[in-house]
Amino acid sequence: TDPSFPRVSLTAGKLILEGRVGPLTREEAPMVKAEEATKLAIDAGFRHIDSAYIYDNEEEVGRAIRSKISDGIVKREDIFYTSKLWVTFLRPELVRPALEKSLKKLQLDYVDLYIIHFPAALKPGEEMLPTDEDGKIVFDTVNLCATWEALEKCKDAGLVKSIGVSNFNRRQLEMILNKPGLKYKPVCNQVECHPYLNQSKLLDFCKSKDIVLVAYSALGSTRDKRWVDQSAPVLLDDPVLGALAKKHKRTPALIALRYQLQRGVVVLAKSCNEKRIKENMQVM
């Protein structure tokens, strides 16, 4: 691993590399693309690989990581792999089995970071998005503090090096931080974060608690028609970003990524395009 590559210390003592590639979901790219994109990212110098059980690509991502290890390109300790606990597995008794499912798909002995994907539980079962007869999402009632205790046990068992959360607001973070008998606090909070949603208050709070803010959708909100107004402005078309990109002879995407790094935010950039994966490394 390049020693000049910026790193952020986690409270658990593990370092997280600020460069990241996020394997696309199966809907966004075929399974072969997820494997190939992971290989390309590792070759380009990325060492932080972010995925999740719900992305349904951990077999392919694990195969890519193991391939690069067997080729001698990297060692296992060079890779920082993040997986996520899906919301149908938030009951305490389901946490370790869910992590073990991911490990089995990855064929790895441990993950570097395991995070609660969302602070809202859905009905357990085979369906990842369970619905009732009217098509409405079926929620579950779970004490997230109990879920957190199950994550702590996974860390003690050596199945994960660090544990954290995703999409938590300040109140939800405080609920975990103020939990009686807390053994390990969340090392990170992964949230949507970009110049149009800069999360400045949440970032300040996380910094005050030594929690790393990890930004997904760093190049702007997904344009999914199911929940994004298609008339909303596109971040990468923003004239300010365009002017800065022209001034510094970089792309608007690199300006947006650099903005996060200079704020002390770990930035996640998702692509299966070789040119853009290599381009993202120029942010340094």
Side-chain angles (χ1 to χ4, degrees):
T1 305
D2 184 351
S4 67
F5 206 76
R7 292 160 169 79
V8 174
S9 294
L10 297 178
T11 55
K14 183 75 176 177
L15 293 174
I16 183 168
L17 297 167
E18 282 188 324
R20 172 272 194 182
V21 61
L24 305 176
T25 64
R26 199 174 293 274
E27 288 71 28
E28 293 169 309
M31 62 186 83
V32 175
K33 286 264 188 173
E35 182 174 349
E36 185 62 24
T38 303
K39 289 180 178 179
L40 289 171
I42 293 172
D43 286 341
F46 285 94
R47 297 295 181 262
H48 179 188
I49 310 296
D50 182 283
S51 192
Y53 182 83
I54 190 64
Y55 299 168
D56 194 24
N57 61 12
E58 289 192 301
E59 288 183 30
E60 295 78 35
V61 173
R63 191 159 54 239
I65 292 171
R66 298 193 317 276
S67 170
K68 291 302 175 182
I69 292 172
S70 66
D71 289 347
I73 305 299
V74 291
K75 299 176 181 177
R76 173 63 185 92
E77 56 267 28
D78 295 331
I79 297 294
F80 191 97
Y81 181 81
T82 299
S83 188
K84 305 180 188 76
L85 176 68
W86 185 238
V87 293
T88 55
F89 303 119
L90 295 192
R91 291 185 184 182
E93 67 274 15
L94 300 179
V95 172
R96 178 163 176 164
L99 174 53
E100 289 174 337
K101 282 182 181 179
S102 283
L103 289 172
K104 184 177 181 180
K105 288 187 174 188
L106 292 160
Q107 293 187 41
L108 298 176
D109 295 328
Y110 66 90
V111 297
D112 296 276
L113 178 62
Y114 199 50
I115 60 181
I116 297 174
H117 209 142
F118 287 96
L122 299 186
K123 178 185 175 183
E126 294 300 315
E127 295 290 326
M128 293 295 97
L129 291 171
T131 55
D132 61 18
E133 58 274 13
D134 297 320
K136 294 181 179 179
I137 293 289
V138 181
F139 289 89
D140 193 23
T141 302
V142 175
N143 182 345
L144 287 174
C145 288
T147 305
W148 187 255
E149 288 175 1
L151 279 172
E152 291 178 323
K153 291 177 181 176
C154 289
K155 175 173 165 54
D156 284 338
L159 300 178
V160 56
K161 300 293 185 182
S162 300
I163 51 178
V165 297
S166 181
N167 299 300
F168 274 50
N169 59 29
R170 175 174 177 160
R171 182 183 61 79
Q172 291 157 340
L173 284 169
E174 287 178 330
M175 178 178 65
I176 300 296
L177 293 171
N178 297 331
K179 185 187 81 67
L182 181 69
K183 193 168 185 179
Y184 307 112
K185 71 179 185 180
V187 298
C188 72
N189 184 22
Q190 186 180 126
V191 296
E192 179 177 345
C193 185
H194 46 76
Y196 285 172
L197 180 64
N198 67 22
Q199 302 281 12
S200 58
K201 290 182 179 179
L202 185 59
L203 175 60
D204 288 343
F205 175 76
C206 287
K207 284 183 175 180
S208 75
K209 300 297 181 181
D210 290 324
I211 296 172
V212 174
L213 193 77
V214 181
Y216 69 78
S217 294
L219 301 180
S221 297
T222 173
R223 307 300 293 181
D224 194 310
K225 294 179 180 179
R226 291 173 294 178
W227 54 74
V228 173
D229 182 351
Q230 297 301 291
S231 66
V234 177
L235 176 65
L236 295 183
D237 293 339
D238 188 274
V240 174
L241 279 184
L244 286 169
K246 185 176 180 179
K247 177 182 177 181
H248 294 284
K249 296 181 172 60
R250 291 289 187 266
T251 63
L254 286 175
I255 299 297
L257 296 177
R258 182 74 186 201
Y259 161 75
Q260 299 290 14
L261 295 184
Q262 292 184 186
R263 304 168 76 215
V265 173
V266 170
V267 61
L268 310 183
K270 166 172 80 172
S271 179
C272 62
N273 179 284
E274 182 175 5
K275 180 176 178 289
R276 285 196 288 269
I277 287 172
K278 291 179 177 178
E279 178 186 276
N280 287 340
M281 288 297 289
Q282 297 174 18
V283 73
M284 305 308 166

